């Protein structure tokens, strides 16, 4: 068991500083491909963060030249079994859902390539900042495999026609296009990536934890609702948020022209 835990720690490195948790995928020679062990490590980390009140923001990063090249095709090809593949993709889907359901924002820090399930990771994160040389694709079609699960996240970030074009043509898009299409938030020079991510994470970490937690959950749930239902739900969330000590403190600080001190 200790050996298994050590392996997971090697595959995924966690760093905590000033309310910001960085999870760094650590298979640089494999371009951080998502092996079974890597998926397990990520799932365990997000499950732990979900109940960690000290975490205000998460940065998901990859070691080496690439962010993530998707599933580990070598490992996948060694299992010609339907039950295995169904379980594997279900685990991957659970991970992506866990990112969205996490009560704090997740920022993807992207360099090199983000392909297939790696592009899915970017699309599943709440925010994404990339090097201006980064490239993105859902290129499973090149090996006879339609990127069905990445399509779920991708099509919720970019328009249907753009997403479908990427899925059936395996075309790569550059970082500037990814910004224009809404897949990522910013593209910066390579030497500025860490600073840009740190600024965004620090900005989020400085906000009211209670408001952020209310807001992230509300944001995704209301998107699935009819307009009237969404407003009913959002109104109720705001009312409960206003009852929080942080909201009282924030309003008093604004009126008193001072910086708020969050307590939640």
């Amino acid at each position: 068991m200790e050996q298994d835990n050590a392996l997971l720690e090697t595959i995924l490195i966690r760093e905590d500083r000033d309310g910001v948790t960085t999870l760094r995928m650590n298979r640089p020679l494999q371009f951080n491909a998502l092996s079974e062990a890597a998926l397990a490590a990520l799932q365990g980390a997000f499950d732990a963060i979900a109940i960690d009140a000290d975490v205000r923001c998460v940065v998901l990063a990859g070691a080496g030249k690439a962010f993530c090249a998707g599933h580990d095709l070598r490992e996948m090809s060694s299992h010609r079994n339907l039950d295995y593949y169904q379980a594997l993709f279900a685990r991957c889907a659970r991970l992506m859902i866990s990112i969205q359901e996490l009560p704090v924002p997740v920022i993807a820090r992207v360099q090199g390539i983000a392909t297939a399930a790696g592009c899915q990771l970017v699309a599943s994160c709440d925010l994404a900042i990339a090097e201006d040389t980064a490239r993105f694709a859902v290129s499973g079609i090149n090996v006879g495999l339609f990127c069905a699960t990445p399509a779920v996240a991708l099509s919720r970030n970019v328009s249907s026609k753009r997403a479908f074009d990427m899925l059936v043509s395996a075309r790569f898009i550059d970082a500037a296009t990814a910004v224009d299409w809404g897949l990522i938030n910013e593209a910066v020079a390579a030497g500025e990536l860490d600073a840009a991510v740190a600024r965004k994470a620090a900005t989020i970490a400085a906000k009211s934890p209670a408001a952020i937690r209310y807001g992230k959950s509300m944001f995704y749930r209301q998107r699935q609702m009819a307009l009237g239902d969404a407003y009913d739900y959002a109104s109720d969330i705001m009312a409960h948020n206003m009852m929080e000590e942080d909201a009282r403190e924030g309003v008093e600080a604004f009126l008193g022209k001072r910086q708020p001190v969050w307590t939640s």
Side-chain angles (χ1 to χ4, degrees):
M1 181 61 71
E2 290 182 2
Q3 184 176 6
D4 290 343
N5 290 336
L7 176 62
L8 294 182
E9 290 173 3
T10 301
I11 288 173
L12 185 70
I13 299 171
R14 175 173 173 169
E15 300 171 355
D16 296 276
R17 179 178 298 178
D18 299 327
V20 178
T21 294
T22 298
L23 300 177
R24 190 176 305 278
M25 298 175 283
N26 192 37
R27 302 184 72 208
L29 297 181
Q30 296 80 25
F31 299 115
N32 300 311
L34 296 175
S35 63
E36 293 180 70
L39 286 171
L42 282 166
Q43 187 66 63
F46 282 118
D47 287 347
I49 290 169
I51 57 174
D52 189 340
D54 292 330
V55 178
R56 305 289 183 86
C57 182
V58 176
V59 174
L60 180 60
K65 296 180 179 180
F67 174 72
C68 178
H71 284 287
D72 189 325
L73 293 180
R74 188 177 299 279
E75 184 180 73
M76 282 175 57
S77 65
S78 66
H79 298 272
R80 298 295 298 173
N81 180 280
L82 179 60
D83 290 341
Y84 171 83
Y85 292 137
Q86 288 175 330
L88 174 66
F89 293 124
R91 289 173 64 192
C92 184
R94 180 188 168 214
L95 172 63
M96 304 301 168
I97 293 170
S98 295
I99 293 173
Q100 185 170 302
E101 291 183 343
L102 203 71
V104 297
V106 182
I107 305 170
R109 175 203 178 280
V110 186
Q111 83 285 4
I113 60 169
T115 54
C119 188
Q120 183 183 6
L121 272 176
V122 174
S124 297
C125 289
D126 306 296
L127 301 164
I129 302 175
E131 289 184 354
D132 55 12
T133 55
R135 299 191 302 151
F136 305 82
V138 278
S139 47
I141 200 72
N142 282 342
V143 296
L145 182 65
F146 189 86
C147 280
T149 47
V152 174
L154 181 67
S155 64
R156 282 162 169 75
N157 282 247
V158 307
S159 71
S160 294
K161 285 183 170 57
R162 285 170 169 169
F164 196 75
D165 180 20
M166 291 178 68
L167 289 158
V168 297
S169 70
R171 66 174 291 194
F172 276 82
I173 61 171
D174 60 22
T177 302
V179 171
D180 183 52
W181 288 9
L183 180 59
I184 65 174
N185 298 88
E186 299 178 52
V188 300
E192 300 174 7
L193 181 58
D194 285 329
V197 171
R199 282 195 300 271
K200 184 66 69 177
T203 296
I204 294 168
K207 306 304 182 188
S208 159
I212 291 289
R213 289 169 186 265
Y214 272 115
K216 179 172 175 178
S217 175
M218 182 283 302
F219 179 77
Y220 288 109
R221 287 190 64 185
Q222 63 84 23
R223 294 179 69 192
Q224 311 303 318
M225 298 177 180
L227 184 62
D229 293 337
Y231 272 115
D232 288 344
Y233 171 61
S235 297
D236 186 61
I237 289 295
M238 285 201 77
H240 280 86
N241 193 169
M242 278 298 297
M243 297 301 294
E244 291 284 339
E245 178 63 23
D246 272 2
R248 184 197 62 77
E249 164 64 11
V251 172
E252 289 185 1
F254 175 79
L255 295 176
K257 298 182 179 180
R258 60 175 176 81
Q259 290 297 313
V261 179
W262 309 124
T263 58
S264 61

